[in-house]
Amino acid sequence: MQRRLIHVLRVLAISAMSNLAQAAEVGEAALDCRTPAILTRYPVSDAIGAQWNEATRTLAYGRPGRNGHYATYLNDAAGSQERAIQYAAWPASRHQFPVAWHPGGRYLMMTVEKSTHPGSSVSAIPGYGAFSDYWLVTADGSRAWPMTDQPKDFDHAITHAAFSPDGSRFVWTERIGAPRLSLNLLAGSYRFNVSRFVDGETPHLSETRSFVPGGQPQGGEVESMAADNRTIAFYSTYRSHNLIASRLYTMDIESGTIRELTQESFAQAPRFTPSGRHIVYMTGAQADVFSFSLQGADWWMMNVDGTRKQRLTFMNKRDHPQSEGRFRLAGSLSFESDTEFFGDVMTKSLGLTGYIVHARITMECMD
């Protein structure tokens, strides 16, 4: 019961804003893009966790089965060629979820729930990530290798991760402290890891370096790495000490230099565009709150130094054509090109209920 309560509080914190945060404005002059991003719903029901690979033009995503456990599927951009990706050693009664493609498309990194562990699978739901490990699997599912061996306790979990654009590094989020009833650590205490990815007969991770922004317990997740192989983008509570006021940062892992990019509302899921010129992210800034609903979030875009913030979508703006007049939470995304991405839209505050959209950023926003 306590763990379930912590999970509920975590999602409420991510989805909701305090009155103070709701009233906050974007720090610098922010612009609504003159023509919003064009959203097209991906035609596969219950699909979530979009991960696009441009080399093979393949979309990976998760879908829950009848038993409630997530399985991973591959498909094309049109949603017409779905096939499951399943390795023989993984039991169907455990969660399996896509995390990141290796750039060449030969491998997919996934989170896979351990075959045996204390308690139920609730704590291993993708996004919570307890009792799970990263596994690397070939795109045909014929071979797979465990990349981590996490302890079987509630202090440890794994969530968001990414390969560097050249595939030489893997950056990943690791929980190292269980959630606490505090705004700072409501989702737990986390560190970010950067590993060298070693390909070969037995692919593996090596030379892992760990980073805790500010050197103090903090909540957050690392989302992407720039093409320079040294700059990571993440959200963190290490300055705000408040999950409902999480901020975005970049960090040079060689020098340790951290740049704060946002202060308004809550912001998460920062992803570098393929060219490296921009970051697209989700935030509750300027989002309307609908009746009997929690705070939602839309996608925004900014320069990599945090300037020129522009709102791309308007799912949480009353009477806007993109709005259905109810809570929508923009989530993680995966780029097809600088102007197109697949992204998750959550329709409920708990769990992974939602759908995938294809978004096309108009050229007016890119100017």
Side-chain angles (χ1 to χ4, degrees):
M1 176 63 73
Q2 182 180 8
R3 291 180 182 178
R4 287 179 179 270
L5 176 61
I6 290 171
H7 289 328
V8 170
L9 289 174
R10 177 191 181 191
V11 179
L12 290 176
I14 292 173
S15 304
M17 293 173 59
S18 64
N19 291 334
L20 177 62
Q22 171 65 21
E25 297 293 333
V26 174
E28 64 168 88
L31 304 172
D32 288 349
C33 189
R34 285 172 291 176
T35 306
I38 299 170
L39 301 181
T40 304
R41 188 158 173 168
Y42 191 68
V44 176
S45 298
D46 301 321
I48 206 75
Q51 296 292 332
W52 174 258
N53 179 255
E54 181 61 20
T56 59
R57 297 196 59 78
T58 302
L59 186 70
Y61 50 79
R63 273 202 296 112
R66 292 181 179 178
N67 60 6
H69 290 89
Y70 283 84
T72 296
Y73 297 84
L74 305 183
N75 213 327
D76 61 8
S80 61
Q81 298 183 20
E82 184 180 78
R83 64 181 178 87
I85 184 166
Q86 172 67 37
Y87 184 59
W90 301 339
S93 59
R94 292 290 185 265
H95 294 296
Q96 301 151 23
F97 203 73
V99 171
W101 282 101
H102 192 262
R106 179 184 179 189
Y107 302 120
L108 178 67
M109 191 71 82
M110 295 174 52
T111 57
V112 177
E113 183 183 354
K114 293 176 181 291
S115 298
T116 61
H117 61 76
S120 71
S121 290
V122 172
S123 296
I125 291 173
Y128 298 156
F131 309 120
S132 301
D133 289 302
Y134 292 115
W135 280 71
L136 189 77
V137 62
T138 56
D140 62 4
S142 62
R143 302 186 71 188
W145 303 265
M147 297 287 106
T148 62
D149 185 13
Q150 294 293 102
K152 295 182 181 180
D153 61 51
F154 198 55
D155 277 326
H156 291 84
I158 51 174
T159 58
H160 290 205
F163 280 101
S164 61
D166 70 355
S168 67
R169 286 181 167 178
F170 181 65
V171 298
W172 48 289
T173 307
E174 181 182 18
R175 191 173 77 201
I176 55 175
R180 304 178 190 173
L181 293 178
S182 74
L183 285 176
N184 184 32
L185 303 178
L186 199 57
S189 178
Y190 288 80
R191 68 184 177 193
F192 309 142
N193 301 310
V194 180
S195 303
R196 186 166 71 91
F197 174 69
V198 182
D199 201 354
E201 181 60 26
T202 305
H204 61 279
L205 304 178
S206 71
E207 302 174 22
T208 298
R209 301 168 60 192
S210 298
F211 302 89
V212 177
Q216 57 185 312
Q218 57 94 44
E221 292 174 306
V222 64
E223 194 78 19
S224 58
M225 176 174 262
D228 62 7
N229 285 325
R230 59 187 291 168
T231 305
I232 60 174
F234 60 94
Y235 84 85
S236 176
T237 65
Y238 91 96
R239 286 182 178 166
S240 69
H241 303 291
N242 189 339
L243 194 61
I244 60 176
S246 55
R247 301 175 183 178
L248 299 186
Y249 302 87
T250 57
M251 180 171 70
D252 183 321
I253 62 173
E254 303 302 331
S255 68
T257 301
I258 295 178
R259 180 194 294 267
E260 186 174 89
L261 304 179
T262 66
Q263 291 187 352
E264 61 279 2
S265 186
F266 64 90
Q268 297 182 15
R271 183 64 71 101
F272 291 103
T273 57
S275 69
R277 293 180 54 207
H278 300 96
I279 291 174
V280 174
Y281 61 103
M282 62 86 95
T283 178
Q286 300 181 5
D288 291 334
V289 180
F290 301 102
S291 299
F292 307 106
S293 180
L294 298 176
Q295 177 68 37
D298 275 283
W299 282 301
W300 287 59
M301 182 174 67
M302 60 183 165
N303 294 337
V304 292
D305 62 359
T307 60
R308 199 169 185 264
K309 294 178 173 71
Q310 298 183 81
R311 187 175 182 176
L312 298 179
T313 64
F314 296 83
M315 296 179 289
N316 295 280
K317 186 175 179 63
R318 272 187 197 84
D319 301 323
H320 192 278
Q322 287 186 345
S323 173
E324 297 181 32
R326 63 190 70 179
F327 167 93
R328 291 293 181 263
L329 188 74
S332 296
L333 60 107
S334 183
F335 281 102
E336 185 176 5
S337 68
D338 264 23
T339 58
E340 297 182 78
F341 64 84
F342 290 92
D344 297 337
V345 177
M346 306 298 181
T347 58
K348 295 184 179 180
S349 300
L350 301 178
L352 286 174
T353 303
Y355 52 87
I356 294 170
V357 296
H358 179 269
R360 182 165 62 85
I361 304 171
T362 58
M363 292 311 297
E364 290 90 339
C365 295
M366 303 301 293
D367 293 339

